[in-house]
Coordinates of all heavy atoms in Angstrom, one line a residue:
M265 N -87.2 -4.2 -68.3 CA -87.1 -4.9 -67.1 C -87.9 -4.2 -66.0 O -87.8 -3.0 -65.8 CB -85.6 -5.0 -66.7 CG -85.4 -5.7 -65.4 SD -83.7 -6.1 -65.1 CE -83.3 -4.9 -63.9
A266 N -88.8 -4.9 -65.3 CA -89.6 -4.3 -64.3 C -88.9 -4.2 -63.0 O -88.1 -5.1 -62.7 CB -90.9 -5.1 -64.1
T267 N -89.1 -3.2 -62.3 CA -88.5 -3.0 -60.9 C -89.5 -3.3 -59.9 O -90.7 -3.0 -60.0 CB -87.9 -1.6 -60.8 OG1 -88.9 -0.7 -60.8 CG2 -86.8 -1.3 -61.8
T268 N -89.0 -3.8 -58.7 CA -89.9 -4.0 -57.6 C -90.1 -2.7 -56.9 O -89.1 -2.0 -56.6 CB -89.2 -5.0 -56.7 OG1 -88.9 -6.2 -57.4 CG2 -90.1 -5.3 -55.5
P269 N -91.4 -2.4 -56.6 CA -91.6 -1.1 -55.9 C -90.9 -1.2 -54.4 O -90.9 -2.3 -53.8 CB -93.1 -1.0 -55.8 CG -93.6 -2.4 -56.0 CD -92.5 -3.1 -56.8
N270 N -90.5 0.0 -53.9 CA -90.0 -0.1 -52.6 C -91.2 -0.3 -51.6 O -92.4 -0.3 -52.0 CB -89.2 1.2 -52.3 CG -90.1 2.5 -52.1 OD1 -91.2 2.4 -51.5 ND2 -89.6 3.6 -52.6
L271 N -90.9 -0.5 -50.3 CA -91.9 -0.9 -49.3 C -93.0 0.1 -49.3 O -94.2 -0.3 -49.3 CB -91.2 -1.0 -48.0 CG -92.1 -1.5 -46.9 CD1 -91.3 -2.5 -46.0 CD2 -92.6 -0.4 -46.1
M272 N -92.7 1.4 -49.3 CA -93.8 2.4 -49.1 C -94.7 2.4 -50.3 O -95.9 2.6 -50.2 CB -93.2 3.8 -48.8 CG -92.4 3.7 -47.5 SD -93.2 2.9 -46.1 CE -94.3 4.2 -45.5
E273 N -94.0 2.4 -51.5 CA -94.8 2.4 -52.7 C -95.7 1.2 -52.8 O -96.9 1.3 -53.1 CB -93.9 2.3 -54.0 CG -93.1 3.6 -54.2 CD -92.0 3.3 -55.3 OE1 -91.6 2.2 -55.5 OE2 -91.6 4.4 -55.8
R274 N -95.2 0.0 -52.4 CA -96.1 -1.2 -52.3 C -97.2 -1.0 -51.3 O -98.3 -1.5 -51.6 CB -95.1 -2.4 -52.1 CG -95.9 -3.7 -52.1 CD -96.5 -4.0 -53.5 NE -97.1 -5.3 -53.5 CZ -98.3 -5.5 -54.1 NH1 -98.9 -4.6 -54.8 NH2 -98.8 -6.7 -54.1
A275 N -96.9 -0.5 -50.2 CA -98.0 -0.3 -49.2 C -99.1 0.5 -49.7 O -100.3 0.2 -49.5 CB -97.3 0.3 -47.9
F276 N -98.8 1.6 -50.4 CA -99.8 2.4 -50.9 C -100.6 1.7 -52.1 O -101.8 1.9 -52.3 CB -99.3 3.8 -51.4 CG -99.2 4.7 -50.3 CD1 -97.9 4.8 -49.6 CD2 -100.2 5.5 -49.8 CE1 -97.8 5.7 -48.5 CE2 -100.1 6.3 -48.7 CZ -98.9 6.4 -48.0
E277 N -99.9 0.9 -52.9 CA -100.5 0.2 -54.0 C -101.5 -0.8 -53.4 O -102.6 -0.9 -53.8 CB -99.5 -0.7 -54.7 CG -98.6 0.1 -55.7 CD -97.6 -0.8 -56.3 OE1 -97.5 -2.1 -56.0 OE2 -96.8 -0.3 -57.2
L278 N -101.2 -1.4 -52.2 CA -102.1 -2.4 -51.6 C -103.2 -1.7 -51.0 O -104.4 -2.2 -51.1 CB -101.3 -3.1 -50.5 CG -100.2 -4.1 -51.0 CD1 -99.3 -4.6 -49.8 CD2 -100.8 -5.3 -51.7
A279 N -103.0 -0.5 -50.4 CA -104.1 0.2 -49.8 C -105.1 0.7 -50.9 O -106.3 0.7 -50.7 CB -103.6 1.4 -49.0
R280 N -104.6 1.1 -52.0 CA -105.5 1.6 -53.1 C -106.2 0.4 -53.9 O -107.2 0.7 -54.5 CB -104.6 2.4 -54.1 CG -104.1 3.7 -53.6 CD -103.3 4.4 -54.7 NE -102.6 5.5 -54.1 CZ -101.3 5.7 -54.0 NH1 -100.5 4.8 -54.6 NH2 -100.8 6.8 -53.5
S281 N -105.6 -0.7 -53.8 CA -106.2 -1.8 -54.6 C -107.5 -2.3 -54.1 O -108.3 -2.9 -54.8 CB -105.2 -3.0 -54.5 OG -105.2 -3.6 -53.2
G282 N -107.8 -2.0 -52.8 CA -109.0 -2.6 -52.2 C -108.8 -4.0 -51.7 O -109.7 -4.5 -51.0
G283 N -107.7 -4.6 -52.0 CA -107.5 -6.0 -51.5 C -107.1 -6.0 -50.0 O -107.3 -7.0 -49.4
C284 N -106.5 -5.0 -49.6 CA -106.2 -4.8 -48.1 C -107.1 -3.7 -47.6 O -107.2 -2.7 -48.2 CB -104.7 -4.4 -47.9 SG -103.5 -5.7 -48.4
T285 N -107.7 -4.0 -46.5 CA -108.7 -3.1 -45.9 C -108.3 -2.4 -44.7 O -109.0 -1.5 -44.2 CB -110.1 -3.8 -45.7 OG1 -109.9 -4.8 -44.8 CG2 -110.6 -4.3 -47.0
N286 N -107.1 -2.7 -44.2 CA -106.6 -2.1 -43.0 C -105.1 -2.2 -42.9 O -104.5 -2.9 -43.7 CB -107.3 -2.6 -41.7 CG -107.1 -4.1 -41.5 OD1 -106.0 -4.6 -41.5 ND2 -108.1 -4.8 -41.2
I287 N -104.4 -1.6 -42.0 CA -103.0 -1.6 -41.9 C -102.5 -3.0 -41.6 O -101.4 -3.4 -42.1 CB -102.5 -0.5 -40.8 CG1 -102.8 0.9 -41.4 CG2 -101.0 -0.6 -40.5 CD1 -102.7 2.0 -40.5
D288 N -103.1 -3.7 -40.8 CA -102.7 -5.1 -40.4 C -102.6 -5.9 -41.7 O -101.7 -6.7 -41.9 CB -103.6 -5.7 -39.4 CG -103.4 -5.1 -38.0 OD1 -102.3 -4.5 -37.7 OD2 -104.3 -5.3 -37.2
D289 N -103.6 -5.7 -42.6 CA -103.6 -6.5 -43.8 C -102.4 -6.1 -44.7 O -101.7 -7.0 -45.3 CB -104.9 -6.2 -44.7 CG -106.1 -6.8 -44.1 OD1 -106.1 -7.7 -43.3 OD2 -107.2 -6.4 -44.6
V290 N -102.1 -4.9 -44.7 CA -101.0 -4.4 -45.5 C -99.6 -4.9 -44.9 O -98.8 -5.4 -45.7 CB -100.9 -2.9 -45.6 CG1 -99.6 -2.4 -46.2 CG2 -102.1 -2.3 -46.3
V291 N -99.5 -4.9 -43.6 CA -98.3 -5.4 -43.0 C -98.1 -6.9 -43.3 O -97.0 -7.3 -43.6 CB -98.4 -5.2 -41.5 CG1 -97.3 -5.9 -40.7 CG2 -98.2 -3.6 -41.2
R292 N -99.2 -7.6 -43.1 CA -99.1 -9.1 -43.4 C -98.7 -9.3 -44.9 O -97.9 -10.2 -45.1 CB -100.5 -9.8 -43.2 CG -100.7 -10.2 -41.7 CD -101.9 -11.1 -41.5 NE -103.1 -10.3 -41.8 CZ -103.8 -9.6 -40.9 NH1 -103.3 -9.5 -39.7 NH2 -104.9 -9.0 -41.2
K293 N -99.3 -8.6 -45.8 CA -99.0 -8.8 -47.2 C -97.6 -8.4 -47.5 O -96.8 -9.1 -48.2 CB -99.9 -8.0 -48.0 CG -99.8 -8.1 -49.5 CD -100.2 -9.5 -50.0 CE -100.1 -9.6 -51.5 NZ -100.2 -10.9 -52.0
L294 N -97.1 -7.3 -47.0 CA -95.7 -6.9 -47.2 C -94.7 -8.0 -46.7 O -93.7 -8.3 -47.3 CB -95.4 -5.6 -46.6 CG -96.1 -4.3 -47.2 CD1 -96.0 -3.1 -46.3 CD2 -95.6 -4.1 -48.6
K295 N -95.0 -8.5 -45.5 CA -94.1 -9.5 -44.9 C -94.2 -10.7 -45.8 O -93.1 -11.4 -46.0 CB -94.6 -9.8 -43.5 CG -94.2 -8.7 -42.5 CD -94.6 -9.0 -41.1 CE -94.1 -7.9 -40.1 NZ -94.6 -8.3 -38.7
S296 N -95.3 -11.1 -46.2 CA -95.4 -12.3 -47.1 C -94.7 -12.1 -48.4 O -94.3 -13.1 -49.1 CB -96.9 -12.7 -47.4 OG -97.5 -11.8 -48.3
E297 N -94.5 -10.9 -48.9 CA -93.8 -10.6 -50.0 C -92.3 -10.4 -49.7 O -91.5 -9.9 -50.6 CB -94.3 -9.3 -50.7 CG -95.7 -9.6 -51.3 CD -96.4 -8.4 -51.9 OE1 -95.7 -7.3 -52.0 OE2 -97.5 -8.5 -52.4
N298 N -91.9 -10.6 -48.5 CA -90.5 -10.6 -48.1 C -89.8 -9.2 -48.1 O -88.6 -9.0 -48.3 CB -89.6 -11.6 -48.9 CG -90.0 -13.0 -48.7 OD1 -90.3 -13.4 -47.6 ND2 -90.2 -13.7 -49.8
Y299 N -90.7 -8.2 -47.8 CA -90.1 -6.9 -47.5 C -89.4 -6.8 -46.2 O -89.9 -7.5 -45.2 CB -91.1 -5.8 -47.7 CG -91.5 -5.4 -49.1 CD1 -92.5 -6.1 -49.7 CD2 -90.8 -4.4 -49.8 CE1 -92.9 -5.7 -51.1 CE2 -91.1 -4.1 -51.1 CZ -92.2 -4.8 -51.8 OH -92.4 -4.4 -53.0
D300 N -88.4 -6.0 -46.0 CA -87.6 -6.0 -44.8 C -88.1 -4.8 -43.9 O -88.5 -3.8 -44.5 CB -86.1 -5.8 -45.1 CG -85.5 -7.0 -45.7 OD1 -85.9 -8.1 -45.4 OD2 -84.5 -6.8 -46.5
Q301 N -88.0 -5.0 -42.7 CA -88.3 -3.9 -41.7 C -89.7 -3.3 -41.8 O -89.8 -2.1 -41.6 CB -87.2 -2.8 -41.7 CG -85.8 -3.4 -41.4 CD -84.7 -2.3 -41.5 OE1 -85.0 -1.1 -41.7 NE2 -83.5 -2.7 -41.3
V302 N -90.6 -4.1 -42.1 CA -92.0 -3.7 -42.3 C -92.5 -3.0 -41.1 O -93.0 -1.9 -41.1 CB -92.9 -4.9 -42.7 CG1 -94.4 -4.4 -42.8 CG2 -92.5 -5.5 -44.1
D303 N -92.4 -3.6 -39.9 CA -92.9 -3.0 -38.7 C -92.3 -1.6 -38.4 O -93.0 -0.7 -38.1 CB -92.7 -3.9 -37.5 CG -93.5 -5.2 -37.6 OD1 -94.6 -5.1 -38.1 OD2 -93.0 -6.3 -37.2
A304 N -91.1 -1.5 -38.6 CA -90.4 -0.2 -38.4 C -90.9 0.9 -39.3 O -91.2 2.0 -39.0 CB -88.9 -0.3 -38.6
H305 N -91.1 0.5 -40.6 CA -91.6 1.5 -41.6 C -93.1 1.9 -41.3 O -93.5 3.0 -41.6 CB -91.5 0.9 -43.0 CG -90.1 0.9 -43.5 ND1 -89.5 2.1 -43.9 CD2 -89.2 -0.1 -43.7 CE1 -88.3 1.8 -44.4 NE2 -88.0 0.5 -44.2
M306 N -93.8 0.9 -40.8 CA -95.3 1.1 -40.7 C -95.6 1.7 -39.3 O -96.8 1.9 -39.0 CB -96.0 -0.2 -41.0 CG -95.7 -0.8 -42.3 SD -96.2 0.3 -43.6 CE -97.9 0.2 -43.6
A307 N -94.6 2.0 -38.5 CA -95.0 2.4 -37.1 C -95.3 3.9 -37.0 O -96.0 4.3 -36.0 CB -93.8 2.1 -36.2
G308 N -94.9 4.7 -38.0 CA -95.2 6.1 -37.9 C -96.6 6.5 -38.0 O -97.4 5.9 -38.7
S309 N -97.0 7.5 -37.2 CA -98.4 8.0 -37.2 C -98.8 8.6 -38.6 O -99.9 8.4 -39.0 CB -98.7 9.0 -36.1 OG -97.9 10.1 -36.2
Q310 N -97.8 9.3 -39.2 CA -98.1 10.0 -40.5 C -98.4 8.9 -41.6 O -99.5 9.1 -42.3 CB -97.0 10.8 -40.9 CG -97.2 11.6 -42.2 CD -98.3 12.7 -42.1 OE1 -98.6 13.1 -41.0 NE2 -98.9 13.1 -43.2
I311 N -97.6 7.9 -41.7 CA -97.9 6.9 -42.7 C -99.2 6.1 -42.4 O -99.9 5.9 -43.3 CB -96.7 5.9 -42.8 CG1 -96.8 5.0 -44.0 CG2 -96.5 5.0 -41.6 CD1 -96.7 5.7 -45.3
R312 N -99.4 5.9 -41.2 CA -100.7 5.2 -40.8 C -101.9 6.0 -41.2 O -102.9 5.5 -41.7 CB -100.7 4.8 -39.3 CG -99.6 3.8 -39.0 CD -99.4 3.5 -37.6 NE -100.4 2.6 -37.1 CZ -100.4 1.3 -37.2 NH1 -99.3 0.7 -37.8 NH2 -101.3 0.5 -36.7
R313 N -101.8 7.3 -40.9 CA -102.9 8.2 -41.3 C -103.1 8.3 -42.8 O -104.3 8.2 -43.3 CB -102.6 9.6 -40.7 CG -103.7 10.7 -40.9 CD -103.3 12.0 -40.3 NE -102.8 11.9 -38.9 CZ -101.5 12.2 -38.6 NH1 -100.7 12.7 -39.5 NH2 -101.1 12.1 -37.4
Q314 N -102.0 8.3 -43.5 CA -102.1 8.4 -45.0 C -102.7 7.1 -45.6 O -103.5 7.1 -46.5 CB -100.8 8.7 -45.6 CG -100.2 10.1 -45.4 CD -98.8 10.3 -45.8 OE1 -98.0 9.3 -45.8 NE2 -98.5 11.4 -46.3
L315 N -102.3 5.9 -45.0 CA -102.9 4.7 -45.4 C -104.3 4.6 -45.1 O -105.1 4.1 -46.0 CB -102.1 3.5 -44.9 CG -100.7 3.3 -45.4 CD1 -99.9 2.3 -44.6 CD2 -100.8 2.9 -46.9
R316 N -104.8 5.0 -44.0 CA -106.2 5.0 -43.6 C -107.0 5.8 -44.6 O -108.1 5.4 -45.0 CB -106.4 5.4 -42.2 CG -106.0 4.4 -41.1 CD -106.6 4.7 -39.8 NE -105.9 5.9 -39.2 CZ -104.8 5.9 -38.5 NH1 -104.2 4.7 -38.2 NH2 -104.3 7.0 -38.0
Q317 N -106.4 6.9 -45.0 CA -107.1 7.7 -46.0 C -107.2 7.0 -47.4 O -108.3 7.0 -48.0 CB -106.4 9.1 -46.2 CG -107.1 10.0 -47.2 CD -108.5 10.4 -46.7 OE1 -108.6 10.9 -45.6 NE2 -109.5 10.2 -47.5
E318 N -106.2 6.3 -47.7 CA -106.2 5.5 -49.0 C -107.3 4.4 -48.9 O -108.0 4.1 -49.9 CB -104.8 4.9 -49.3 CG -103.8 5.9 -49.6 CD -104.0 6.6 -50.9 OE1 -104.8 6.1 -51.8 OE2 -103.5 7.7 -51.0
F319 N -107.4 3.7 -47.7 CA -108.5 2.7 -47.5 C -109.8 3.3 -47.8 O -110.7 2.7 -48.4 CB -108.4 2.1 -46.1 CG -107.1 1.4 -45.8 CD1 -106.5 1.6 -44.6 CD2 -106.5 0.5 -46.7 CE1 -105.3 0.9 -44.3 CE2 -105.3 -0.2 -46.4 CZ -104.7 0.0 -45.2
Q320 N -110.0 4.4 -47.1 CA -111.3 5.1 -47.3 C -111.6 5.5 -48.7 O -112.7 5.3 -49.2 CB -111.4 6.4 -46.4 CG -111.5 6.1 -44.9 CD -111.4 7.4 -44.1 OE1 -111.3 8.5 -44.7 NE2 -111.5 7.2 -42.8
D321 N -110.6 6.0 -49.4 CA -110.8 6.4 -50.8 C -111.1 5.2 -51.6 O -111.9 5.2 -52.6 CB -109.6 7.1 -51.3 CG -109.4 8.5 -50.7 OD1 -110.3 9.0 -50.0 OD2 -108.3 9.1 -50.8
A322 N -110.4 4.1 -51.4 CA -110.6 2.8 -52.2 C -112.0 2.3 -52.0 O -112.6 1.8 -52.9 CB -109.6 1.8 -51.7
R323 N -112.6 2.4 -50.8 CA -114.0 1.9 -50.5 C -115.0 2.8 -51.3 O -116.1 2.3 -51.6 CB -114.3 2.0 -49.0 CG -113.6 0.8 -48.3 CD -114.1 0.6 -46.9 NE -113.8 1.8 -46.0 CZ -112.7 1.8 -45.2 NH1 -111.9 0.8 -45.2 NH2 -112.5 2.8 -44.5
R324 N -114.7 4.1 -51.5 CA -115.6 5.0 -52.2 C -115.7 4.7 -53.7 O -116.6 5.1 -54.3 CB -115.2 6.4 -51.9 CG -115.4 6.9 -50.5 CD -115.1 8.3 -50.4 NE -115.2 8.7 -48.9 CZ -114.1 9.3 -48.3 NH1 -113.0 9.6 -49.0 NH2 -114.2 9.5 -47.0
K325 N -114.7 4.1 -54.2 CA -114.6 3.9 -55.7 C -115.5 2.7 -56.1 O -115.9 1.9 -55.5 CB -113.2 3.6 -56.1 CG -112.3 4.8 -56.0 CD -111.0 4.6 -56.5 CE -110.1 5.8 -56.3 NZ -108.8 5.6 -56.7

């Protein structure tokens, strides 16, 4: 049985996939997948910095 990734795991999956190219894309996708409290989770500067790094790494691949 497959488990659904938690919000943060899914955010990083989306950033690494190349399908989302910025934080707004990730937020929209998470909300469309019915994750709860997306804005609160994505508000922190550390998480935003880490996701921006993932976007850059995904573009380099």
